[in-house]
Amino acid sequence: DTRRNQMVDLTSMIAGLSGDQSVVRSEMEILKSRALAEKVADKLKIDEWPEFNWTLSKPGFFDGLLHPIAWLVGALQKLTTPPSAVEASLEARAKDRRAAEVGALMSRMEITNDGRSYLIKIHAQSTNRMAAAMIANTYVDFYLLDQVEAKFDAIKRASTWLNDQLGDLREKVRDSERAVELFKEQNKLTETKGTSLNDQQLSELNSQLILAAADRAQKETSLGQLQSQIRAGSIDAAAVLDSPLVQKLRSDEA
């Protein structure tokens, strides 16, 4: 598979196969694989087909003569062999019989490509033409299903990887937030209603400065008026300077 999987681009992971000959040859090998043949064998239950399971075929003349002997030998073996060994022997025979059935199925299949096109031809042989068609079509069905499962597995692996990365990033964010809170506490930068303590203090000082400037402007205006009246002689300067109001103003100024 020459396609590059990009974890953050899921559409690239479900793209179709390219059409070069190396990819076509690779897909032909998948069609010839034993794994695919086993899936087809299970689906079609070829162990119930006499042409694949020789135990179901009709016995010939010599088979009829040998059958009683084989039965007698098997009975003697059961009597002289421990049950566990008999069970193991039966399992081994069943495994060998299944391997032979799958091997027989694979020998009846032919996967070809003419080398000039992207077409893969699937030929199946059977004693019955309907059975042959069924085998070939089942091969195609499982091949396409295998492609879908491969894409699904790729997306699942990518999703798992992304979730792991997201978990790591989430943990790093939590660690960073804890470090920020610790730094604020150590430097007395605790936030209240979205603003830091320093910002709140600066805002209060600015408010006080504005009030003080307004009060000073008002008092300067009053002082100017008094000075004008004194120069005009309408107010006794000595009495004004000794008045409680002026004394308080001087105290405030100091």
Side-chain angles (χ1 to χ4, degrees):
D1 186 358
T2 58
R3 295 167 295 177
R4 294 183 178 180
N5 289 339
Q6 299 180 10
M7 295 303 183
V8 295
D9 186 8
L10 295 183
T11 57
S12 69
M13 305 192 67
I14 57 176
L17 292 168
S18 61
D20 57 84
Q21 284 298 319
S22 60
V23 172
V24 174
R25 296 293 179 184
S26 299
E27 298 308 304
M28 288 174 62
E29 293 302 318
I30 292 176
L31 284 165
K32 295 177 182 179
S33 66
R34 176 172 288 271
L36 187 60
E38 289 177 349
K39 293 180 181 179
V40 174
D42 292 338
K43 176 66 175 180
L44 298 180
K45 298 180 180 180
I46 63 171
D47 58 331
E48 300 177 2
W49 295 28
E51 63 179 299
F52 295 108
N53 187 353
W54 62 269
T55 61
L56 300 178
S57 59
K58 295 181 180 180
F61 176 77
F62 290 103
D63 293 332
L65 294 177
L66 295 176
H67 181 72
I69 299 176
W71 180 87
L72 181 60
V73 172
L76 292 175
Q77 288 180 345
K78 290 183 179 179
L79 293 175
T80 58
T81 306
S84 58
V86 172
E87 183 177 355
S89 177
L90 292 176
E91 291 179 355
R93 290 181 182 178
K95 186 176 181 180
D96 292 341
R97 185 169 60 251
R98 173 175 169 77
E101 293 167 356
V102 174
L105 175 63
M106 296 175 65
S107 67
R108 304 285 186 90
M109 301 302 301
E110 183 181 5
I111 314 297
T112 60
N113 170 259
D114 57 12
R116 298 186 302 273
S117 68
Y118 302 141
L119 296 179
I120 298 176
K121 299 180 181 180
I122 301 178
H123 303 263
Q125 296 179 359
S126 175
T127 56
N128 182 288
R129 61 180 182 178
M130 298 300 295
M134 184 186 301
I135 294 173
N137 291 333
T138 305
Y139 254 85
V140 174
D141 291 341
F142 273 102
Y143 168 74
L144 297 178
L145 180 62
D146 181 72
Q147 292 290 315
V148 174
E149 290 178 348
K151 295 173 183 177
F152 176 78
D153 290 340
I155 294 176
K156 186 177 180 180
R157 287 194 301 270
S159 299
T160 301
W161 182 84
L162 289 173
N163 287 332
D164 293 340
Q165 295 297 314
L166 184 61
D168 294 340
L169 293 174
R170 195 178 288 119
E171 187 63 27
K172 290 180 181 179
V173 169
R174 283 196 292 263
D175 293 341
S176 299
E177 290 177 346
R178 284 194 292 266
V180 170
E181 293 299 329
L182 180 61
F183 177 80
K184 288 180 179 179
E185 292 178 1
Q186 293 175 346
N187 294 273
K188 298 180 180 180
L189 299 175
T190 305
E191 293 186 356
T192 304
K193 295 181 180 180
T195 58
S196 65
L197 184 60
N198 285 348
D199 291 339
Q200 289 182 359
Q201 292 176 345
L202 182 61
S203 177
E204 291 175 0
L205 290 174
N206 286 331
S207 299
Q208 293 176 7
L209 178 61
I210 293 172
L211 293 175
D215 184 60
R216 177 182 176 181
Q218 182 180 2
K219 289 179 179 179
E220 286 179 346
T221 301
S222 300
L223 177 61
Q225 293 175 354
L226 287 174
Q227 289 176 344
S228 298
Q229 292 176 359
I230 291 173
R231 284 194 297 270
S234 59
I235 296 179
D236 185 2
V240 172
L241 294 175
D242 293 335
S243 67
L245 176 60
V246 173
Q247 296 298 326
K248 183 178 181 306
L249 292 175
R250 284 180 175 176
S251 176
D252 291 343
E253 182 181 13

